Structure formats: structure tokens, C-alpha cells
Amino acid sequence: MSHSLLNRGEDPVSFENGLLRLEVTSKEVIADNVISLTLRHPLGEALPAWTPGAHVDVHVAGADGEELVRQYSLCSDPANRSVYRLGILREPASRGGSSYLHEQLQVGQQLDVSAPRNNFELREAPRYLFIAGGIGITPIIPLLEQAERNGAEWALHYGGRTRTAMAFAEEFERYGDRINLIPQDEQGFIDLAGILATPDPDTLVYCCGPGPLMDATEALTAAWPATALHMERFVNEVEANQSGDQAFQVELSLMGRTITVEPGVSVLNAVNAVGANVPHSCQEGTCGTCETIVLEGEPDHRDAVLSEEEREENEVMMVCVSRCKTPCLVLEL
């Protein structure tokens, strides 16, 4: 499955170094520590098309002046290509990204933003179960709206610390009892065990939120069909003990050369050092920009993008963090 840029070559807007410079047209506090940003092209041109579940990379200034790249889900209407809307939580341990957007960014300023990417697309199914925690609601909004347009059955379980911390909650009122809002201080945690107790081959589960919520959802859907669960993580929580990393060979099939990737060096940096020019962004295994086709060999997947099914297929890998379980990888580079 490809997680490539959406319609990059079909859009009239111009990219500079792979980025669009967009104007902030509105900035609004919509929940505790959550703002909504609306972005548009300075000349009013149509923005690159996207599908529900997509995110963009936003380039902002870090606390020490370095440029940071942060991924934020699009939560506007894909049919309206005049604007992008983002929901942004102020992270308690922010290194400058979210704190800059919350505290310093002003309406009228411009931000460098990538074309949309989608690692969280809505697959066709008769029924959907959406589970969201906190700011994880942002990619769920257009997903459930697409499910509604498709005429599918669906339900949303949306948890937050308090009602005032639950962004966009008012937008769901029109859906009635298909929405289950669960403020933790009033009702406790989402009853995942009850919700996921009975595997249903006709239901797909879409989950986004804090790591513990997604970990629990993953564990409780272990008995469900392998393709039932779909998650969007923006923090790579894959544990990798790099002390045991070994050197391995990478053959670049299109360039006709083989290189050695040493311990402590990423595949991304190694192949780009010899001119492969693999595009990249987060370098943390969360955005999917560096996805590369694997022709031979078995990758050691350490990303937070691919599903377990996609990892087992071994058709692609994220070369910024993943390595190799076999002596050699052959990549389509």
C-alpha cells in the first residue's frame, strides 16, 4: 500500500523545496489548550486535493531557533479546496512547535506546509467503529463524514479529560446517539473492553489518540480480523535497542550500486549520501514521506506508519528509522 503525496502533480499551486507557503486566516481557541487554524493560499488558488484521514507537515520554529516539522491532521471539508483546517494541541512538553503556534503565531502570518499525505484512509466497509481520544478527534472528523456520505453504519466513542477539553464536540450534535462523548472526569475512560468485546468481520475500527488508548485498542482487537484495525500515530513508540544494530548492505537497483549501512547511520542518510535523493520530513518514522519500495530482503520495521499487515508484506519501508533483518536489502532507488 502506498502512502504517497496526494495529487501533487495535478495541482496548479507551486511548491518551493516541497512546501507551500500558506496564510493563516483564522486562529481560534476551541477547547482547553487546543486551537483551530485555518490556512489559505495567499493568492486564493485552490489547495492540493486531499482525502479524509490525511495530514500535512507544518514547519515551525523550535525553542532553540531550529526548524521543527510537526504533523497535523486536516479536519476541514475535502470538497472545499480554498482552505485547510487544523486542530492543534499545546503539548505540555513542547520543544517549541505547538507552543509557537499557540503563543506567537498571528492571523496574517504565513506557514510552510507540505502537500497532504494519507496513512489513514477510509477503506470500504458496511460498518465503522471510530475511537478517538483528545486531539485524536481531528482525523476522525472527515472520516466519519465520509462514512455518512457513503451510507455506512458507524458510531463514534470520543473521550477527553473534561468536556471543555474536547475539541469540535459541538460539530457532532447533529448525529445524535451515534456519538458517545465520554469526559473522563464525569464517566471515566472509554469502555474499550465492552465496545470491542465481539469481533465483527464487517466492521472496521479507526482509532487515533494518546498512545495508551491506541495500545489498548490494538490489544483488544487481537481477535478481530487482521485488517480490521486502522490507527494514526504521530509519535513513534516502537522500542528499538540500537546497541545490537549491525552493518548491512543496501543495493540501489536503479542506480546500480551497493552500499554499506553502518550501525548508527540511517538507511535514509546512507542512500542520500550517494545521491538517491529520497524525500523526507519527520525522520522519526511517523509521517511516511520517505516510504521506499523493497524489492528483496526483510526490513526491520521501526516506523509508526505501516500496519502489521503491511509490515508482513514487506513491500515498502520507512528508510528514516527502519533497518534490515537480512544481510542485504534491495531497494527501488
Side-chain angles (χ1 to χ4, degrees), residues 200-232:
D200 182 353
D202 293 326
T203 298
L204 295 184
V205 180
Y206 280 76
C207 177
C208 187
L213 172 71
M214 292 191 286
D215 292 342
T217 300
E218 186 171 25
L220 290 166
T221 53
W224 286 57
T227 58
L229 178 61
H230 302 268
M231 298 192 296
E232 177 85 314

Side-chain angles (χ1 to χ4, degrees), residues 89-141:
L89 172 70
R90 192 189 193 288
E91 298 288 351
S94 174
R95 292 192 294 125
S98 66
S99 61
Y100 169 80
L101 295 171
H102 272 250
E103 298 170 8
Q104 300 182 48
L105 183 71
Q106 301 294 321
V107 171
Q109 288 184 237
Q110 296 183 347
L111 287 173
D112 287 335
V113 178
S114 73
R117 300 182 62 86
N118 201 340
N119 308 326
F120 200 42
E121 289 184 302
L122 192 74
R123 299 188 181 185
E124 188 173 348
R127 285 187 293 278
Y128 299 95
L129 182 58
F130 298 108
I131 300 171
I135 199 61
I137 192 63
T138 51
I140 299 294
I141 294 171

Side-chain angles (χ1 to χ4, degrees), residues 168-181:
F168 304 112
E170 72 284 352
E171 298 188 12
F172 304 127
E173 293 177 356
R174 66 186 185 277
Y175 293 124
D177 59 7
R178 283 182 290 175
I179 304 293
N180 183 19
L181 298 181

Side-chain angles (χ1 to χ4, degrees), residues 84 92 202 218 258 281 283:
Y84 288 161
D202 293 326
E218 186 171 25
T258 299
S281 180
Q283 300 192 60

